[in-house]
Every structure is written in structure tokens, then in C-alpha cells.
Amino acid sequence: MAVEVVEKKHEIDYKIAGVRAGEQKNFPIPGLSIIVPVLGHAGLDAAVYIGGNPDLLTLKVGLNACVVVHDKNVCASSIPGVNKILPWWILKGEYSFGHVCRGNSTVAVM
């Protein structure tokens, strides 16, 4: 599945791909980070969660705040208490695509 983050005023157009069912990933959004001297950088990440299967697909897309300190990435959603607020899910729902495959099977006889 792919998700695209677009913000025209600041010319941000970023495509996110490679999230599989059963996982949640954070993707840094280019142009939405700041350098923190000595430590690393902090920024806004796109958070994507996909669960289930085509019959009942759970999809969540939102925003998370993450920092990179030296080589370690820490997101606000991993901090107790803050994880009740972030990620902030902008889009969340359950969708069914199982009907697309049903009734359209073709049998080939050779």
C-alpha cells in the first residue's frame, strides 16, 4: 500500500510505500524537521498502520513526532502518557475489499 503526503504551500509532496499488514511504521516527512545542535534532529513523521486482510482491512494514517539522537530514533508515541495523544490519526477506519475477488473467478479447462 502507498500513501502520499502533499502540502502545496510549502511544496511538500512525499510518497510512502512498503507498509505491510500487521505493522505500523513512521516515515520522516522531508522539509518538516529541525536540527537540534549536538543531539541530532526532530521532525514530524507520517505514521501508517495497516492491519487485517482484504476482507476487513484496518487503516490508520496520521502524524507522529520523532527525534533522532545520534543513531537512535525515538518517537513520541513510544513515551508513556504521550502515546495517548500521538500518533494523531487523521484517517482511520475499517474497509472491506473482499467482494472485489468474489464471483469473478474463471476456470480454464485444458
Side-chain angles (χ1 to χ4, degrees):
M1 173 159 206
V3 176
E4 190 167 2
V5 177
V6 178
E7 203 287 326
K8 291 187 180 193
K9 185 176 180 181
H10 296 99
E11 299 179 8
I12 296 171
D13 188 347
Y14 184 64
K15 192 169 191 172
I16 298 168
V19 181
R20 298 175 187 253
E23 64 184 14
Q24 177 179 327
K25 287 188 176 180
N26 293 296
F27 299 89
I29 302 171
L32 294 180
S33 64
I34 59 170
I35 296 172
V36 180
V38 182
L39 294 177
H41 63 273
L44 198 59
D45 285 22
V48 179
Y49 169 78
I50 299 175
N53 58 49
D55 284 329
L56 187 58
L57 183 72
T58 301
L59 177 63
K60 295 180 183 180
V61 179
L63 298 172
N64 202 356
C66 298
V67 296
V68 176
V69 179
H70 304 291
D71 289 334
K72 187 173 181 181
N73 190 11
V74 179
C75 293
S77 59
S78 66
I79 301 170
V82 180
N83 62 354
K84 294 179 181 180
I85 301 167
L86 293 172
W88 175 51
W89 300 116
I90 298 167
L91 170 70
K92 62 181 174 180
E94 292 182 339
Y95 307 92
S96 177
F97 299 101
H99 66 282
V100 174
C101 298
R102 289 191 195 110
N104 293 332
S105 60
T106 302
V107 176
V109 178
M110 297 185 160

